[in-house]
């Protein structure tokens, strides 16, 4: 490796010059290349020292670049997986929120029906709560940082479920205190559970965004360029100093550094593009559709509460309008099918409002609780199912994209980093060959 | 050349420092999880103490004629209601025995609702030509003043201050404030409630009435009496105070609750609330109430809803003179 590409000049033994202050131990070296014969005196004596400094500089440049590559690619490889985990946690949190509101919506709707609630609604309520419980356990296992909040949330969910059971038990006995427990459960959900879920959704979205932005800094490119520049400068200096154009070791080191730099820039550019696409695409979809689904279920709850209020539901209608506006805002610029499905439900809801306002409360309740194709229950379920499907699809896309984020950095860790270590060795060996000429 | 070992040590140290630096620099700053929210208890709101600056708080207008539904005076409020096609009444939907939604049928029923049905029958000839609006205690006066409803039949106590804002029919029931406690709790008298937690609907005169009797008790507010029963059953309060009619409804829903023996410590004469300008409607309702007192309709309703909990009673005597 230390052999130059062109025929090396035969070193000429000279009388060892007296050591000079400032030249260090190299002054004791008596050898130098004949090609550098014009370099005499002080400058001649400093050449070995300069060689050592260039050796240190090139090895250090390669080492720093290797470390930077390692750190950047390691973060890149783990950030993709972490972002996928955070996105999955975001989906869980949004699903818990939607499931709880779905359960509340089913329970309040069932309260409107005289007599026993339908077995289907009861079954759907139980399924929504069971799904919530499972998601809570999954979420706690998946993200240790969320455990404290999830534990508080779990207590709120337990209190909600207990109050709802009391509401049902009293309702079955014909006691109006059942409605009191329904209100208590509803307050528990809105005062204790939903604020935690909203915060958890924001936190996990920020986490995922932070992971996807992990490689947005230009350290790899900057350090890579500086390292390549140092290697090229070393080649230029040796070529000039020893009148031999090519030092094989330095050339190989430079090539390895440049190839690693170009490959790394390509990997990072690809990953940044995928990350940006995720942040603005599927991850954003998960956040907005999840929030939209929660707002939609809240609107459905308010529709039932409006009728339970029996002619005095204006406050609930205002809450419905607010929740509906959140759904509509969430669909801005997207949500083609969702938009139509929400429009269908909105029309069903308007019919409920019209009947109630016209003093036909019984008819409004009958329409709000049946399962005709144009009833609020049917049109809302169509919207909710579509929203859930959109969420699941976005979550799958995030997982697939996260796999793409993983491949490039891992290849760089497997090939690029060892190549840079090899570059450091090549540079050292190449310069050492020149140094030997002085010994 | 110096020893490689001697040179490599600082490089290694530098390398380790750089690794740490870069890993730290490259690792994203992750947000902390949210702190759990705190639940708050509603603050107790006390209504201003009503100054009884009159002595005729329970007096209403002399009853008018009770024409047949097809002979209502053309310009009367009753005719306007008939033209609309339904009587609109503000009621409670969670005061068991007075006005509460029957979960089995989904309809609101009770002692108060029977008066709505009676007035509907007087106007339309049919007892079910009405629309109920569920209102809170605090809504009773505003919905009448804004003419959102024609009548309010919701345990509405007549007093001088309210007469300045709305009009009332003659008294249709004479209630009184009492206290509900847990059976076997050892609480026997009002004095035993000193230092105990007692629930009452927020913003009602029940709070100020009770505090006058037991100043050392701790008042806990709820949105309504049903909210109080929820807190009572959860063990968050020791007692509930309110009108005996309301407490009878609560006791009927909980076999482990009982009303303290003794005379009520306040008088709560219930009247049907009407907009202050619609005196013709008040006189019409008074005529109907007189008829109900005389023909046994009042007694039938009382016996059905309140007698099992409150015992035998007769219609209160009507007072007129306005």
């Amino acid at each position: 490796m230390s052999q130059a590409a062109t025929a090396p000049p035969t070193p000429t033994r000279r009388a060892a010059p007296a050591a000079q202050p400032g030249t260090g131990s190299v002054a004791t070296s008596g050898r130098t290349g004949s090609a550098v014969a014009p370099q005499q005196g002080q400058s001649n004596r400093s050449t070995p020292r300069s060689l050592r400094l260039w050796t240190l500089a090139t090895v250090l440049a390669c080492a720093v670049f290797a470390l930077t590559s390692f750190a950047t690619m390691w973060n890149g490889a783990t950030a993709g997986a972490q972002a996928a985990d955070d996105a999955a946690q975001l989906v869980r949190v949004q699903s818990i929120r939607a499931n709880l509101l779905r359960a509340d919506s089913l329970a309040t709707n069932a309260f409107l029906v005289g007599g026993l609630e339908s077995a289907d609604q009861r079954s759907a309520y139980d399924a929504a709560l069971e799904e919530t419980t499972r998601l809570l356990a999954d979420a706690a296992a998946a993200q240790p940082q969320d455990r404290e909040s999830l534990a508080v949330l779990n207590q709120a969910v337990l209190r909600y479920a207990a109050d709802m059971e009391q509401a049902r038990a009293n309702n079955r006995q014909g006691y109006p205190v059942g409605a009191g427990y329904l209100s208590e459960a509803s307050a528990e959900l809105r005062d204790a559970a939903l604020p935690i879920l909203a915060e958890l959704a924001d936190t996990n979205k920020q986490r995922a965004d932070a992971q996807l932005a992990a490689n947005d800094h230009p350290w790899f490119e900057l350090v890579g360029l500086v390292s390549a520049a140092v290697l090229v400068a070393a080649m230029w200096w040796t070529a000039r100093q020893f009148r031999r154009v090519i030092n094989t070791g330095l050339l190989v080191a430079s090539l390895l550094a440049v190839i690693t730099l170009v490959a790394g820039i390509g990997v990072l550019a690809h990953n940044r593009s995928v990350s940006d696409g995720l942040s603005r695409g599927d991850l954003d979809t998960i956040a907005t559709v999840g929030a939209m689904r929660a707002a939609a279920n809240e609107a459905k709850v308010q529709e039932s509460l409006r009728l339970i209020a029996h002619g005095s539901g204006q406050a609930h209608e205002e809450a419905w309008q607010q929740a509906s506006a959140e759904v509509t805002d969430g669909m801005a610029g997207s949500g083609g099918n969702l938009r139509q499905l929400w429009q269908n439900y909105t029309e069903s809801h308007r019919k409920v409002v019209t009947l109630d306002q016209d003093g036909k409360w019984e008819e409004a309740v009958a329409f709000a609780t049946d399962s005709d194709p144009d009833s609020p229950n049917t049109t809302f379920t169509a919207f909710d199912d579509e929203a859930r499907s959109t969420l699941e699809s976005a979550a799958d896309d995030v997982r697939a994209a996260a796999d793409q984020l993983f491949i490039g950095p891992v290849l760089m860790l497997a090939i690029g980093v060892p190549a840079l270590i090899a570059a450091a060795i090549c540079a050292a060996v190449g310069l050492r060959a020149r140094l030997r000429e002085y010994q | 050349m110096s020893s490689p070992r001697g040179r490599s040590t600082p490089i290694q140290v530098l390398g380790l420092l750089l690794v740490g630096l870069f890993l730290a620099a490259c690792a994203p700053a992750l947000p902390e999880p949210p702190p759990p929210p705190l639940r708050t208890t509603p603050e107790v709101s006390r209504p201003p103490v009503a100054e009884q600056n009159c002595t005729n708080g329970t007096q209403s207008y002399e009853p008018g004629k009770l024409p047949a539904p097809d002979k209502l005076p053309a310009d009367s409020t009753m005719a306007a209601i008939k033209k609309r096609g339904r009587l609109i009444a503000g009621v409670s939907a969670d005061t068991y025995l007075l006005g509460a939604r029957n979960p089995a049928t989904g309809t609101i029923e009770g002692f108060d609702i029977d008066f709505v049905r009676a007035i509907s029958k007087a106007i339309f000839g049919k007892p079910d030509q009405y629309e109920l609006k569920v209102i809170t205690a605090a809504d009773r006066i505003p919905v009448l003043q804004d003419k959102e409803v024609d009548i309010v039949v919701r345990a509405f106590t007549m007093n001088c201050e309210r007469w300045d804002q709305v009009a009332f029919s003659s008294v249709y029931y004479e209630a009184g404030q009492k206290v509900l406690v847990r059976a076997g709790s050892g609480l026997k008298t009002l004095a035993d409630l000193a230092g105990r937690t007692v629930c009452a609907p927020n913003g009602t005169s029940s709070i100020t009435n009770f505090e006058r009797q037991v100043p050392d008790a701790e008042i806990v507010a709820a949105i309504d009496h049903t909210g109080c029963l929820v807190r009572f059953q959860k063990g968050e309060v020791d007692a509930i105070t309110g009108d005996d009619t309301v407490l009878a409804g609560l006791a009927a829903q909980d076999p482990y609750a009982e009303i303290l023996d003794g005379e009520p410590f306040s008088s709560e004469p219930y009247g049907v609330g009407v907009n202050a300008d619609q005196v013709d409607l008040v006189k019409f309702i008074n005529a109907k109430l007189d008829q109900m007192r005389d023909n046994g309709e009042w007694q039938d309703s009382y016996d059905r809803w309140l007698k099992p909990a409150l015992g035998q009673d007769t219609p209160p005597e009507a007072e007129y003179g306005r």
Side-chain angles (χ1 to χ4, degrees):
Chain A
M1 292 292 286
S2 63
Q3 295 305 303
T6 54
T10 306
T12 306
R13 187 169 292 276
R14 293 170 185 273
Q20 296 294 322
T23 59
S25 62
V26 296
T28 58
S29 298
R31 284 197 296 174
T32 184
S34 59
V36 293
Q39 309 293 328
Q40 298 292 330
Q42 184 75 17
S43 62
N44 192 34
R45 285 191 295 276
S46 67
T47 299
R49 181 171 182 269
S50 298
L51 273 170
R52 289 192 180 94
L53 285 174
W54 275 112
T55 304
L56 179 64
T58 51
V59 169
L60 202 58
C62 291
V64 169
F65 189 27
L67 286 169
T68 307
S69 297
F70 177 80
T72 304
M73 298 306 162
W74 179 265
N75 276 325
T78 54
Q82 285 287 342
D85 288 348
D86 291 331
Q89 184 77 340
L90 178 61
V91 172
R92 278 185 213 105
V93 168
Q94 300 283 36
S95 299
I96 291 170
R97 184 154 66 155
N99 269 310
L100 278 175
L101 283 164
R102 176 88 180 127
D104 200 45
S105 152
L106 289 163
T108 48
N109 194 258
F111 243 75
L112 279 171
V113 185
L116 282 175
E117 64 189 302
S118 81
D120 287 347
Q121 276 193 317
R122 173 74 204 197
S123 171
Y125 169 86
D126 288 343
L129 268 195
E130 281 166 14
E131 176 74 357
T132 299
T133 310
R134 186 186 65 74
L135 286 167
L136 274 169
D138 288 353
Q143 180 53 274
Q145 281 181 287
D146 291 344
R147 274 182 197 158
E148 191 186 347
S149 296
L150 289 168
V152 178
L153 175 63
N154 193 42
Q155 290 165 8
V157 171
L158 286 174
R159 286 195 298 269
Y160 168 81
D163 283 340
M164 201 53 93
E165 283 311 309
Q166 284 278 36
R168 279 209 170 87
N170 280 286
N171 204 40
R172 286 171 72 101
Q173 295 174 77
Y175 295 152
V177 73
Y181 279 102
L182 183 73
S183 300
E184 187 82 355
S186 185
E188 184 69 49
L189 186 66
R190 279 156 188 79
D191 296 347
L194 295 184
I196 297 174
L197 286 162
E199 285 290 327
L200 279 174
D202 286 347
T203 305
N204 280 286
K205 171 76 166 60
Q206 287 169 26
R207 278 193 196 127
D209 281 338
Q211 293 290 358
L212 291 174
N215 283 335
D216 272 358
H217 51 75
W219 291 115
F220 177 85
E221 290 90 333
L222 285 176
V223 173
L225 284 171
V226 169
S227 301
V230 168
L231 288 166
V232 170
M235 279 205 299
W236 176 80
W237 182 84
T238 50
R240 186 168 158 272
Q241 197 74 9
F242 295 94
R243 294 184 185 166
R244 277 170 287 182
V245 176
I246 294 174
N247 179 306
T248 307
L250 282 174
L251 179 66
V252 172
S254 300
L255 284 172
L256 287 172
V258 169
I259 290 168
T260 304
L261 176 63
V262 171
I265 287 172
V267 165
L268 290 177
H270 171 261
N271 277 15
R272 282 170 192 152
S273 169
V274 172
S275 297
D276 286 350
L278 274 179
S279 281
R280 288 195 296 268
D282 290 315
L283 205 54
D284 199 46
T285 300
I286 291 170
T288 52
V289 174
M292 202 163 71
R293 192 175 168 220
N297 276 284
E298 173 68 12
K300 189 71 175 70
V301 172
Q302 294 299 333
E303 180 181 271
S304 296
L305 291 176
R306 173 207 171 91
L307 292 172
I308 288 173
H310 206 125
S312 297
Q314 190 49 39
H316 296 297
E317 182 56 23
E318 285 164 13
W320 186 95
Q321 296 285 356
Q322 190 179 339
S324 178
E326 284 178 39
V327 175
T328 311
D329 290 348
M331 286 189 282
S334 63
N337 196 30
L338 280 173
R339 190 183 296 278
Q340 182 56 51
L341 292 170
W342 184 250
Q343 183 62 30
N344 294 346
Y345 165 68
T346 301
E347 283 167 16
S348 304
H349 173 76
R350 281 203 197 104
K351 190 173 172 185
V352 172
V353 173
T354 305
L355 287 169
D356 192 28
Q357 284 175 340
D358 290 347
K360 299 171 182 170
W361 184 83
E362 286 82 3
E363 284 181 49
V365 168
F367 181 62
T369 53
D370 72 15
S371 52
D372 285 350
D374 64 337
S375 70
N377 280 349
T378 305
T379 52
F380 181 82
T381 300
F383 172 85
D384 194 53
D385 288 348
E386 179 70 13
R388 187 173 54 212
S389 168
T390 305
L391 268 178
E392 287 167 358
S393 170
D396 289 343
D397 289 349
V398 168
R399 276 190 284 275
D403 289 342
Q404 288 183 44
L405 292 176
F406 183 71
I407 296 166
V410 166
L411 284 175
M412 286 298 294
L413 283 171
I415 300 169
V417 174
L420 290 171
I421 295 168
I425 295 167
C426 288
V429 171
L431 287 166
R432 188 176 172 78
R434 290 291 170 271
L435 194 57
R436 279 208 190 97
E437 293 168 3
Y438 287 89
Q439 293 171 341
Chain B
M1 199 171 179
S2 305
S3 160
R5 292 174 70 112
R7 293 242 176 215
S8 64
T9 302
I11 291 172
Q12 283 174 346
V13 171
L14 185 63
L16 283 172
L17 283 171
L18 285 167
V19 169
L21 181 70
F22 281 120
L23 283 174
C26 296
L30 300 178
E32 290 294 312
L38 299 171
R39 288 203 73 190
T40 55
T41 306
E43 203 173 315
V44 178
S45 161
R46 293 168 177 81
V49 178
E51 293 293 330
Q52 293 292 335
N53 52 7
C54 68
T55 55
N56 59 346
T58 54
Q59 285 183 358
S60 184
Y61 300 105
E62 287 289 339
K65 290 180 182 175
L66 194 58
D70 56 348
K71 291 181 181 170
L72 294 170
D75 297 333
S76 68
T77 306
M78 294 77 75
I81 292 169
K82 190 173 182 191
K83 189 178 175 190
R84 185 206 294 139
R86 64 188 189 278
L87 170 73
I88 303 176
V91 299
S92 170
D94 64 353
T95 311
Y96 198 43
L97 306 181
L98 287 181
R101 183 177 161 274
N102 182 336
T105 61
T107 57
I108 298 174
E109 58 189 28
F111 185 62
D112 280 348
I113 307 305
D114 280 356
F115 289 90
V116 177
R117 293 174 62 82
I119 296 166
S120 166
K121 190 174 181 184
I123 295 174
F124 295 97
K126 292 187 283 186
D128 55 357
Q129 205 78 12
Y130 60 83
E131 175 190 344
L132 300 181
K133 281 189 181 289
V134 177
I135 57 171
T136 65
D139 291 335
R140 290 176 299 193
I141 291 173
V143 294
L144 282 175
Q145 289 177 324
D146 297 341
K147 294 188 177 175
E148 289 179 30
V149 298
D150 301 314
I151 55 174
V152 165
V153 194
R154 193 195 187 284
F156 202 1
T157 301
M158 302 165 70
N159 61 40
C160 295
E161 187 201 31
R162 287 175 178 167
W163 266 108
D164 291 339
Q165 300 166 298
V166 296
F168 286 99
S169 70
S170 59
V171 179
Y172 70 86
Y173 186 75
E174 185 81 41
Q177 189 171 343
K178 288 191 172 184
V179 175
L180 181 89
V181 296
R182 209 166 279 115
S185 64
L187 300 170
K188 300 289 182 192
T189 65
L190 285 179
D192 293 339
L193 292 165
R196 300 299 190 111
T197 49
V198 180
C199 185
N202 221 1
T204 62
S205 56
S206 294
I207 293 174
T208 42
N209 286 342
F210 182 79
E211 283 181 327
R212 248 184 251 129
Q213 300 293 321
V214 191
D216 295 334
E218 184 190 342
I219 293 289
V220 175
I223 190 166
D224 51 27
H225 274 106
T226 301
C228 280
L229 184 58
V230 170
R231 286 174 176 269
F232 180 80
Q233 290 182 337
K234 286 186 169 186
E236 295 172 8
V237 297
D238 297 312
I240 302 170
T241 187
D243 294 353
D244 52 3
T245 47
V246 176
L247 296 186
L250 299 185
Q253 299 176 66
D254 188 342
Y256 301 103
E258 62 185 15
I259 299 172
L260 279 187
D261 286 337
E263 287 299 306
F265 51 86
S266 77
S267 173
E268 309 292 337
Y270 292 166
V272 177
V274 178
N275 182 284
D277 299 332
Q278 294 171 335
V279 176
D280 60 339
L281 180 60
V282 178
K283 290 183 173 184
F284 179 83
I285 292 170
N286 282 345
K288 179 62 190 173
L289 291 179
D290 274 355
Q291 187 188 63
M292 291 175 75
R293 288 186 191 95
D294 295 340
N295 66 7
E297 212 176 327
W298 186 98
Q299 197 66 54
D300 289 347
S301 180
Y302 178 85
D303 291 351
R304 179 184 176 195
W305 297 109
L306 299 177
K307 185 182 169 187
L310 298 174
Q312 186 65 47
D313 208 345
T314 53
E317 200 170 321
E319 294 178 52
Y320 303 114
R322 282 186 188 270

